């Protein structure tokens, strides 16, 4: 494991190890036991998209492990003036010990990783969001569930989160049911690759069918960054895909609800569900930091 560009960069034992280590670091550092394996290390954060949780969780994780960060928005870099990405990758490799990139095209992540001499971590692209889904899985494990035995429902847009959940299903072997409106399916190449690896994945139109008996119910915003012009049409199309108390009645009685945030209450999820007893979204949000700490320790220490 040199880079983390997508979940299928990992072997199952590597992914399980990151989740286990995230839980260990959470317990240790919350207890106040010092652990500073990244003392003297520097992490560059290249963000072309705005962020709250991803930026702060990576920065906090790095600092908790003794390291430091340099935040670089796209306007801070010579990329804005036409410098080739491969040049930026090679130059930054002489200054820092790792790079997190949050960008639009997955090709940016791939090119940085191809030319960088230090680890590159995908903090989000339009195609994948690997660290988020790994931290979501960490949250599921933290509740005492075994990943291989799960039935997971994804309700809503077949976006980068859905793609990474598909890859996770291929890696861990849980059953995944995706309920997406027609025309808003996940990436067909991602789906085909996962199924070729034996993944148990059903692509459905009916959210009730997807949620029936599921132990994990997962959703995301209807319009992601860069899709603002489509927001009104998406609200119309996705209205039947709202995660609300009526839909949850079809899930397993002890089902948990995930949302990677930010949430648009009253759109993809209701206030009642988000703030309800089945919601684990605040633990999920915190666990980004601990999973990121595990990734940084693994790649940079």
């Amino acid at each position: 494991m040199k880079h983390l560009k997508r979940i299928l960069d990992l072997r199952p034992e590597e992914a399980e190890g990151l989740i286990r280590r995230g839980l260990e670091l959470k317990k240790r550092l919350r207890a106040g036991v010092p652990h500073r394996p990244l003392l003297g290390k520097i992490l560059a954060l290249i963000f072309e998209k705005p962020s709250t949780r991803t930026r702060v969780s990576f920065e906090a994780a790095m600092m908790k492990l003794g390291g430091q960060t340099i935040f670089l928005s796209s306007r801070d870099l010579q990329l804005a003036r036409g410098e080739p990405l491969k040049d930026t990758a090679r130059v930054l490799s002489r200054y820092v010990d790792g790079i997190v990139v949050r960008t639009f095209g997955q090709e940016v992540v791939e090119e940085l990783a191809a030319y960088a001499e230090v680890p590159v971590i995908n903090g989000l692209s339009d195609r994948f969001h690997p660290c988020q889904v790994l931290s979501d899985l960490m949250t599921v494990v933290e509740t005492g569930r075994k990943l291989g035995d799960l039935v997971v429902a994804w309700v809503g847009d077949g976006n980068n989160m859905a793609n990474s959940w598909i890859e996770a299903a291929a890696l861990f072997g849980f059953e995944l049911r995706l309920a997406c409106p027609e025309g808003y399916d996940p990436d067909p190449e991602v789906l085909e690759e996962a199924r070729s690896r034996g993944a148990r994945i059903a692509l459905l139109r009916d959210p009730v069918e997807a949620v029936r008996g599921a132990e994990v119910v997962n959703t995301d915003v209807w319009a992601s960054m860069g899709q603002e012009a489509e927001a009104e049409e998406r609200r119309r199309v996705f209205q039947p895909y709202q995660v609300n108390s009526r839909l949850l009645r079809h899930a397993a009685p002890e089902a948990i609800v995930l949302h990677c945030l930010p949430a648009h209450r009253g759109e993809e999820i209701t206030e009642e569900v988000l703030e309800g007893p089945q919601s684990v979204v605040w633990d999920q949000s915190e666990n980004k930091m601990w999973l990121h700490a595990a990734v940084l320790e693994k790649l940079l220490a």
Side-chain angles (χ1 to χ4, degrees):
M1 175 183 172
K2 181 180 179 182
H3 306 291
L4 182 48
K5 300 168 291 179
R6 54 187 290 194
I7 284 179
L8 288 182
D9 281 347
L10 303 171
R11 299 188 303 272
E13 60 270 23
E14 288 178 320
E16 291 165 5
L18 290 173
I19 290 170
R20 185 168 58 250
R21 186 57 176 160
L23 291 168
E24 292 169 354
L25 289 171
K26 182 176 184 178
K27 183 177 181 180
R28 176 174 182 164
L29 293 172
R30 271 186 160 190
V33 180
H35 183 59
R36 299 170 68 81
L38 301 186
L39 190 66
K41 301 284 187 176
I42 301 172
L43 179 70
L45 302 168
I46 302 176
F47 278 39
E48 294 183 310
K49 287 188 171 187
S51 170
T52 300
R53 279 150 293 275
T54 300
R55 175 180 176 178
V56 176
S57 59
F58 266 114
E59 290 194 344
M62 191 67 180
M63 292 175 189
K64 285 179 182 292
L65 296 180
Q68 300 181 42
T69 62
I70 299 173
F71 180 80
L72 300 162
S73 70
S74 55
R75 66 178 178 272
D76 297 326
L77 295 166
Q78 292 292 338
L79 289 171
R81 298 179 61 208
E83 181 175 41
L85 192 59
K86 61 184 179 181
D87 293 2
T88 298
R90 288 179 289 199
V91 168
L92 287 180
S93 295
R94 305 296 179 98
Y95 300 151
V96 303
D97 301 284
I99 300 169
V100 175
V101 58
R102 182 175 172 92
T103 186
F104 291 91
Q106 178 69 16
E107 66 275 5
V108 173
V109 180
E110 300 290 341
E111 186 171 350
L112 277 174
Y115 289 94
E117 297 170 15
V118 297
V120 171
I121 300 166
N122 183 355
L124 175 144
S125 71
D126 284 353
R127 197 176 198 202
F128 296 117
H129 203 351
C131 292
Q132 176 67 59
V133 171
L134 287 171
S135 63
D136 295 351
L137 292 167
M138 174 182 159
T139 305
V140 173
V141 171
E142 193 175 38
T143 67
R145 292 165 168 83
K146 294 183 178 180
L147 296 180
D149 301 332
L150 284 178
V151 176
V152 177
W154 175 268
V155 181
D157 191 20
N159 59 12
N160 52 2
M161 283 290 294
N163 290 336
S164 285
W165 272 100
I166 288 167
E167 293 206 329
L171 201 67
F172 289 99
F174 56 81
E175 180 183 348
L176 177 63
R177 304 176 193 152
L178 302 112
C180 307
E182 188 171 356
Y184 297 90
D185 291 343
D187 188 309
E189 291 182 2
V190 174
L191 189 58
E192 181 180 356
E193 181 180 1
R195 284 175 168 162
S196 73
R197 291 173 177 242
R200 297 180 292 156
I201 300 173
L203 183 57
L204 309 166
R205 300 295 176 220
D206 182 359
V208 171
E209 187 179 352
V211 165
R212 186 171 288 117
E215 299 153 89
V216 178
V217 178
N218 203 347
T219 191
D220 193 8
V221 295
W222 291 340
S224 299
M225 284 176 283
Q227 297 173 333
E228 289 79 8
E230 306 172 28
E232 186 174 345
E233 173 64 12
R234 283 174 169 264
R235 277 192 291 271
R236 183 188 66 79
V237 171
F238 282 95
Q239 193 59 52
Y241 293 81
Q242 183 184 76
V243 175
N244 51 41
S245 57
R246 293 189 306 279
L247 184 63
L248 272 187
R249 282 197 285 267
H250 298 279
E254 302 301 319
I256 58 173
V257 175
L258 298 175
H259 191 307
C260 63
L261 302 177
H264 294 166
R265 291 164 167 83
E267 290 188 12
E268 75 277 359
I269 192 167
T270 61
E271 176 89 7
E272 177 186 17
V273 170
L274 190 67
E275 300 289 355
Q278 291 174 273
S279 169
V280 294
V281 298
W282 315 115
D283 294 332
Q284 177 189 359
S285 184
E286 178 187 348
N287 284 341
K288 283 174 67 77
M289 177 176 64
W290 302 116
L291 191 282
H292 291 167
V295 170
L296 293 170
E297 182 187 54
K298 177 72 173 177
L299 289 175
L300 274 62

